[in-house]
Amino acid sequence: MTDHPTDDLTDDAVSTDLLDELANLASPPPAELTEGLFDRLFDRWLTTESPLGPVLVAYTGRGVSFVRTSALVPGEQFLETHRRRFGRPLRRADSTPAGLVDALWGRPGSVPEVDLEGLSAFEHDVLAATRTIPLGQTRPYAWVAREAGSPRAVRAAGSVLARNPVPLLVPCHRVVRSDGSPGQYLFGPETKQQLLSSEYARAHDL
């Protein structure tokens, strides 16, 4: 039986030009396909300015999911903290979510989408109630618990706010103790007081 003419070819005998021609036959996948794949595998992140100085912001296709100051959580630590908390890696963003910058600065009418996936119903309710507190105003922790549907869960509501994934966008700094004192804050009580004083002034300037 006569062998097929190509059976004696080895890898070394195959023309490099032929391999190049074969490789050129493959077309790159559509951009929308690769972008969609990245969206499923990665969240995006960026750095921008805020009243607290530079902040690092992570977001998904559903909205902003994580905000921390670069002073509290430096860049590399932010990536690792996000991965541990959300189970997803981050890649640099090439655009900024609509309304994000205005919302970080507390400008009226700026309400960007937030992604609170993975939180319990109570946590959602606490953060949703907190987000309704207007610029230049405060509410006590008891009010937040009541608005969240659990009036006796004042301490639990405070714990939710202490873990707020999106501070400034959900203005937990506007929640104070029943005696009017600022109370604790993710970025420190002094920072909380500075934010409140600044917002009170700006609210009266509007």
Side-chain angles (χ1 to χ4, degrees):
M1 180 175 179
T2 304
D3 291 336
H4 191 279
T6 60
D7 287 346
D8 294 333
L9 289 177
T10 64
D11 289 341
D12 291 338
V14 177
S15 166
T16 302
D17 291 339
L18 176 59
L19 290 176
D20 290 342
E21 290 180 14
L22 291 174
N24 289 333
L25 294 177
S27 300
E32 60 270 19
L33 178 61
T34 56
E35 189 65 23
L37 178 63
F38 278 127
D39 287 342
R40 290 191 293 273
L41 296 177
F42 296 88
D43 294 343
R44 292 185 175 89
W45 76 285
L46 55 87
T47 303
T48 189
E49 289 295 323
S50 78
L52 302 178
V55 292
L56 299 100
V57 179
Y59 65 96
T60 71
R62 295 178 294 274
V64 178
S65 57
F66 199 45
V67 177
R68 289 295 184 266
T69 65
S70 59
L72 182 67
V73 183
E76 290 300 320
Q77 187 179 340
F78 178 79
L79 303 184
E80 179 59 23
T81 301
H82 180 277
R83 187 190 64 78
R84 289 200 310 268
R85 182 164 181 165
F86 298 96
R88 288 168 60 86
L90 290 169
R91 67 186 183 109
R92 269 285 189 180
D94 53 12
S95 61
T96 302
L100 170 65
V101 174
D102 285 342
L104 288 173
W105 287 91
R107 293 166 185 152
S110 303
V111 187
E113 295 295 324
V114 294
D115 181 0
L116 302 178
E117 184 178 1
L119 299 185
S120 69
F122 177 68
E123 290 172 321
H124 271 273
D125 292 342
V126 167
L127 296 177
T130 302
R131 203 175 191 194
T132 66
I133 304 173
L135 174 75
Q137 298 185 27
T138 60
R139 299 289 187 275
Y141 288 98
W143 178 90
V144 174
R146 185 172 65 250
E147 291 296 303
S150 302
R152 295 186 177 182
V154 177
R155 186 178 297 273
S159 296
V160 171
L161 296 178
R163 300 189 303 270
N164 181 6
V166 285
L168 295 178
L169 303 184
V170 173
C172 53
H173 60 279
R174 296 175 190 163
V175 182
V176 299
R177 291 173 175 165
S178 56
D179 63 2
S181 60
Q184 296 302 310
Y185 184 49
L186 176 65
F187 304 123
E190 291 183 357
T191 300
K192 184 175 188 176
Q193 185 59 67
Q194 290 170 2
L195 281 171
L196 291 174
S197 297
S198 172
E199 290 191 348
Y200 182 79
R202 283 189 286 129
H204 281 264
D205 285 341
L206 293 176

